[in-house]
Amino acid sequence: MDRKARAVWRGTGKDGTGELTSASGVLSNSPYSFRTRFENEPGTNPEELIAAAHAGCFSMALAFQLQGAGFTPDELQTEAVVTLESDGQGGFRISRSALTLQAKVPGIDKAKFDELAGLAEKNCPVSRVLNAEITVNATLG
């Protein structure tokens, strides 16, 4: 299975602008730039997209873990915060992805829930591709 996206960039790193487009059409010439990445100007940025991918991947991986253990979640709400920081060598690196989960899963105890959340984090393909610290703060409610 291959998934595709395209980036087009025009201009310098600081003053240039670009657009991101995904094959599915969810992203269609979505603007990104230095300002959307480092100054919170409206538009997207690679780290935001990685955060969305990680939150979505983890939620689905947990749903599969729960299903395999005989549980059906009412809701899994995951937020991912991806940290971009200086690498100390003139560049940047993604150093962390912090997952915060609010879950409603009927009939599960906290120990089993935590076990399955840990397995989901370790087996989520996005977690596996990130070379960063990954934390999970899971709340069952």
Side-chain angles (χ1 to χ4, degrees), residues 21-46:
T21 302
S22 61
S24 70
V26 169
L27 297 174
S28 180
N29 297 314
S30 298
Y32 80 112
S33 67
F34 179 88
R35 290 173 301 284
T36 66
R37 194 171 193 186
F38 297 104
E39 298 174 1
N40 294 320
E41 182 176 289
T44 193
N45 59 73

mmCIF file of all heavy atoms in Angstrom, residues 21-46:
data_model
loop_
_atom_site.group_PDB
_atom_site.id
_atom_site.type_symbol
_atom_site.label_atom_id
_atom_site.label_comp_id
_atom_site.label_asym_id
_atom_site.label_seq_id
_atom_site.Cartn_x
_atom_site.Cartn_y
_atom_site.Cartn_z
ATOM 1 N N THR A 21 -0.491 18.995 -1.294
ATOM 2 C CA THR A 21 -1.647 18.330 -1.876
ATOM 3 C C THR A 21 -1.517 16.833 -1.645
ATOM 4 O O THR A 21 -0.446 16.260 -1.874
ATOM 5 C CB THR A 21 -1.743 18.624 -3.388
ATOM 6 O OG1 THR A 21 -1.832 20.049 -3.572
ATOM 7 C CG2 THR A 21 -2.945 17.959 -4.018
ATOM 8 N N SER A 22 -2.594 16.222 -1.192
ATOM 9 C CA SER A 22 -2.588 14.771 -0.987
ATOM 10 C C SER A 22 -3.425 14.107 -2.076
ATOM 11 O O SER A 22 -4.354 14.709 -2.621
ATOM 12 C CB SER A 22 -3.122 14.408 0.392
ATOM 13 O OG SER A 22 -4.455 14.845 0.546
ATOM 14 N N ALA A 23 -3.094 12.869 -2.379
ATOM 15 C CA ALA A 23 -3.793 12.139 -3.437
ATOM 16 C C ALA A 23 -5.278 11.996 -3.137
ATOM 17 O O ALA A 23 -6.106 11.998 -4.047
ATOM 18 C CB ALA A 23 -3.149 10.771 -3.644
ATOM 19 N N SER A 24 -5.639 11.900 -1.863
ATOM 20 C CA SER A 24 -7.054 11.750 -1.490
ATOM 21 C C SER A 24 -7.845 13.029 -1.723
ATOM 22 O O SER A 24 -9.070 12.997 -1.768
ATOM 23 C CB SER A 24 -7.167 11.359 -0.016
ATOM 24 O OG SER A 24 -6.784 12.449 0.806
ATOM 25 N N GLY A 25 -7.152 14.165 -1.810
ATOM 26 C CA GLY A 25 -7.814 15.449 -1.970
ATOM 27 C C GLY A 25 -8.101 16.149 -0.651
ATOM 28 O O GLY A 25 -8.586 17.280 -0.643
ATOM 29 N N VAL A 26 -7.826 15.495 0.486
ATOM 30 C CA VAL A 26 -8.034 16.140 1.780
ATOM 31 C C VAL A 26 -7.198 17.411 1.870
ATOM 32 O O VAL A 26 -7.660 18.431 2.364
ATOM 33 C CB VAL A 26 -7.719 15.161 2.938
ATOM 34 C CG1 VAL A 26 -7.675 15.877 4.269
ATOM 35 C CG2 VAL A 26 -8.740 14.046 2.963
ATOM 36 N N LEU A 27 -5.966 17.338 1.394
ATOM 37 C CA LEU A 27 -5.143 18.532 1.236
ATOM 38 C C LEU A 27 -5.157 18.875 -0.246
ATOM 39 O O LEU A 27 -4.857 18.023 -1.083
ATOM 40 C CB LEU A 27 -3.704 18.277 1.675
ATOM 41 C CG LEU A 27 -3.465 17.923 3.132
ATOM 42 C CD1 LEU A 27 -2.003 17.571 3.351
ATOM 43 C CD2 LEU A 27 -3.884 19.051 4.039
ATOM 44 N N SER A 28 -5.524 20.095 -0.551
ATOM 45 C CA SER A 28 -5.554 20.515 -1.946
ATOM 46 C C SER A 28 -4.956 21.912 -2.026
ATOM 47 O O SER A 28 -5.607 22.907 -1.699
ATOM 48 C CB SER A 28 -6.979 20.515 -2.479
ATOM 49 O OG SER A 28 -7.000 20.923 -3.830
ATOM 50 N N ASN A 29 -3.677 21.956 -2.419
ATOM 51 C CA ASN A 29 -2.951 23.221 -2.475
ATOM 52 C C ASN A 29 -3.036 23.975 -1.144
ATOM 53 O O ASN A 29 -3.207 25.193 -1.119
ATOM 54 C CB ASN A 29 -3.439 24.084 -3.638
ATOM 55 C CG ASN A 29 -3.180 23.414 -4.964
ATOM 56 O OD1 ASN A 29 -2.092 22.894 -5.198
ATOM 57 N ND2 ASN A 29 -4.178 23.402 -5.828
ATOM 58 N N SER A 30 -2.929 23.233 -0.038
ATOM 59 C CA SER A 30 -2.968 23.834 1.297
ATOM 60 C C SER A 30 -1.683 24.617 1.523
ATOM 61 O O SER A 30 -0.586 24.079 1.382
ATOM 62 C CB SER A 30 -3.117 22.746 2.360
ATOM 63 O OG SER A 30 -4.331 22.054 2.174
ATOM 64 N N PRO A 31 -1.797 25.907 1.891
ATOM 65 C CA PRO A 31 -0.609 26.739 2.015
ATOM 66 C C PRO A 31 0.246 26.375 3.228
ATOM 67 O O PRO A 31 -0.269 26.009 4.282
ATOM 68 C CB PRO A 31 -1.173 28.146 2.168
ATOM 69 C CG PRO A 31 -2.548 27.961 2.695
ATOM 70 C CD PRO A 31 -3.027 26.639 2.171
ATOM 71 N N TYR A 32 1.559 26.471 3.024
ATOM 72 C CA TYR A 32 2.500 26.376 4.126
ATOM 73 C C TYR A 32 3.691 27.260 3.826
ATOM 74 O O TYR A 32 3.971 27.570 2.674
ATOM 75 C CB TYR A 32 2.893 24.928 4.441
ATOM 76 C CG TYR A 32 3.943 24.286 3.567
ATOM 77 C CD1 TYR A 32 5.195 23.979 4.090
ATOM 78 C CD2 TYR A 32 3.691 23.962 2.242
ATOM 79 C CE1 TYR A 32 6.168 23.359 3.306
ATOM 80 C CE2 TYR A 32 4.651 23.345 1.461
ATOM 81 C CZ TYR A 32 5.888 23.047 2.001
ATOM 82 O OH TYR A 32 6.854 22.443 1.238
ATOM 83 N N SER A 33 4.356 27.712 4.892
ATOM 84 C CA SER A 33 5.475 28.640 4.743
ATOM 85 C C SER A 33 6.258 28.670 6.048
ATOM 86 O O SER A 33 5.886 28.021 7.029
ATOM 87 C CB SER A 33 4.955 30.055 4.428
ATOM 88 O OG SER A 33 4.248 30.574 5.542
ATOM 89 N N PHE A 34 7.314 29.453 6.059
ATOM 90 C CA PHE A 34 8.062 29.678 7.295
ATOM 91 C C PHE A 34 7.124 30.222 8.369
ATOM 92 O O PHE A 34 7.157 29.809 9.517
ATOM 93 C CB PHE A 34 9.214 30.673 7.033
ATOM 94 C CG PHE A 34 10.024 30.981 8.253
ATOM 95 C CD1 PHE A 34 11.123 30.193 8.596
ATOM 96 C CD2 PHE A 34 9.686 32.052 9.077
ATOM 97 C CE1 PHE A 34 11.878 30.483 9.740
ATOM 98 C CE2 PHE A 34 10.436 32.338 10.207
ATOM 99 C CZ PHE A 34 11.527 31.540 10.538
ATOM 100 N N ARG A 35 6.253 31.150 7.970
ATOM 101 C CA ARG A 35 5.348 31.778 8.936
ATOM 102 C C ARG A 35 4.297 30.806 9.462
ATOM 103 O O ARG A 35 3.926 30.881 10.636
ATOM 104 C CB ARG A 35 4.703 33.011 8.312
ATOM 105 C CG ARG A 35 5.731 34.141 8.118
ATOM 106 C CD ARG A 35 5.185 35.334 7.347
ATOM 107 N NE ARG A 35 4.698 35.029 6.001
ATOM 108 C CZ ARG A 35 5.494 34.808 4.937
ATOM 109 N NH1 ARG A 35 6.795 34.855 5.068
ATOM 110 N NH2 ARG A 35 4.980 34.540 3.760
ATOM 111 N N THR A 36 3.814 29.868 8.655
ATOM 112 C CA THR A 36 2.842 28.890 9.162
ATOM 113 C C THR A 36 3.537 27.851 10.033
ATOM 114 O O THR A 36 2.900 27.224 10.873
ATOM 115 C CB THR A 36 2.080 28.170 8.027
ATOM 116 O OG1 THR A 36 2.972 27.357 7.273
ATOM 117 C CG2 THR A 36 1.366 29.149 7.132
ATOM 118 N N ARG A 37 4.820 27.698 9.835
ATOM 119 C CA ARG A 37 5.569 26.691 10.584
ATOM 120 C C ARG A 37 6.138 27.238 11.883
ATOM 121 O O ARG A 37 6.120 26.568 12.910
ATOM 122 C CB ARG A 37 6.701 26.158 9.706
ATOM 123 C CG ARG A 37 7.326 24.890 10.223
ATOM 124 C CD ARG A 37 8.264 24.316 9.194
ATOM 125 N NE ARG A 37 8.635 22.953 9.547
ATOM 126 C CZ ARG A 37 9.525 22.251 8.896
ATOM 127 N NH1 ARG A 37 10.120 22.772 7.838
ATOM 128 N NH2 ARG A 37 9.816 21.042 9.275
ATOM 129 N N PHE A 38 6.647 28.455 11.851
ATOM 130 C CA PHE A 38 7.362 28.991 13.014
ATOM 131 C C PHE A 38 6.689 30.192 13.671
ATOM 132 O O PHE A 38 7.114 30.618 14.734
ATOM 133 C CB PHE A 38 8.792 29.367 12.619
ATOM 134 C CG PHE A 38 9.612 28.187 12.173
ATOM 135 C CD1 PHE A 38 9.866 27.979 10.828
ATOM 136 C CD2 PHE A 38 10.115 27.286 13.098
ATOM 137 C CE1 PHE A 38 10.625 26.884 10.408
ATOM 138 C CE2 PHE A 38 10.871 26.195 12.694
ATOM 139 C CZ PHE A 38 11.121 25.991 11.350
ATOM 140 N N GLU A 39 5.671 30.780 13.040
ATOM 141 C CA GLU A 39 5.069 32.004 13.579
ATOM 142 C C GLU A 39 3.548 31.930 13.729
ATOM 143 O O GLU A 39 2.916 32.930 13.958
ATOM 144 C CB GLU A 39 5.449 33.194 12.696
ATOM 145 C CG GLU A 39 6.941 33.454 12.645
ATOM 146 C CD GLU A 39 7.336 34.544 11.661
ATOM 147 O OE1 GLU A 39 6.446 35.142 11.009
ATOM 148 O OE2 GLU A 39 8.543 34.806 11.553
ATOM 149 N N ASN A 40 2.958 30.784 13.559
ATOM 150 C CA ASN A 40 1.516 30.579 13.753
ATOM 151 C C ASN A 40 0.619 31.358 12.790
ATOM 152 O O ASN A 40 -0.515 31.680 13.120
ATOM 153 C CB ASN A 40 1.110 30.867 15.202
ATOM 154 C CG ASN A 40 1.721 29.873 16.157
ATOM 155 O OD1 ASN A 40 1.799 28.681 15.868
ATOM 156 N ND2 ASN A 40 2.180 30.356 17.294
ATOM 157 N N GLU A 41 1.128 31.676 11.605
ATOM 158 C CA GLU A 41 0.271 32.266 10.577
ATOM 159 C C GLU A 41 -0.695 31.174 10.097
ATOM 160 O O GLU A 41 -0.345 30.002 10.083
ATOM 161 C CB GLU A 41 1.137 32.752 9.415
ATOM 162 C CG GLU A 41 0.335 33.415 8.310
ATOM 163 C CD GLU A 41 1.230 33.982 7.223
ATOM 164 O OE1 GLU A 41 1.915 34.988 7.489
ATOM 165 O OE2 GLU A 41 1.242 33.415 6.112
ATOM 166 N N PRO A 42 -1.917 31.558 9.680
ATOM 167 C CA PRO A 42 -2.861 30.540 9.184
ATOM 168 C C PRO A 42 -2.275 29.741 8.020
ATOM 169 O O PRO A 42 -1.603 30.281 7.149
ATOM 170 C CB PRO A 42 -4.062 31.369 8.725
ATOM 171 C CG PRO A 42 -3.985 32.628 9.531
ATOM 172 C CD PRO A 42 -2.513 32.888 9.709
ATOM 173 N N GLY A 43 -2.524 28.461 8.034
ATOM 174 C CA GLY A 43 -1.990 27.517 7.058
ATOM 175 C C GLY A 43 -1.522 26.296 7.816
ATOM 176 O O GLY A 43 -1.688 26.204 9.030
ATOM 177 N N THR A 44 -0.935 25.361 7.138
ATOM 178 C CA THR A 44 -0.488 24.139 7.796
ATOM 179 C C THR A 44 1.027 24.092 7.852
ATOM 180 O O THR A 44 1.713 25.022 7.441
ATOM 181 C CB THR A 44 -1.082 22.888 7.116
ATOM 182 O OG1 THR A 44 -0.870 21.756 7.971
ATOM 183 C CG2 THR A 44 -0.495 22.643 5.741
ATOM 184 N N ASN A 45 1.549 23.005 8.389
ATOM 185 C CA ASN A 45 2.993 22.786 8.436
ATOM 186 C C ASN A 45 3.245 21.296 8.624
ATOM 187 O O ASN A 45 2.343 20.557 9.035
ATOM 188 C CB ASN A 45 3.634 23.621 9.552
ATOM 189 C CG ASN A 45 3.070 23.286 10.906
ATOM 190 O OD1 ASN A 45 3.358 22.238 11.455
ATOM 191 N ND2 ASN A 45 2.238 24.177 11.442
ATOM 192 N N PRO A 46 4.430 20.833 8.300
ATOM 193 C CA PRO A 46 4.707 19.401 8.393
ATOM 194 C C PRO A 46 4.479 18.823 9.784
ATOM 195 O O PRO A 46 3.966 17.708 9.922
ATOM 196 C CB PRO A 46 6.175 19.296 7.977
ATOM 197 C CG PRO A 46 6.390 20.464 7.070
ATOM 198 C CD PRO A 46 5.546 21.557 7.671
#
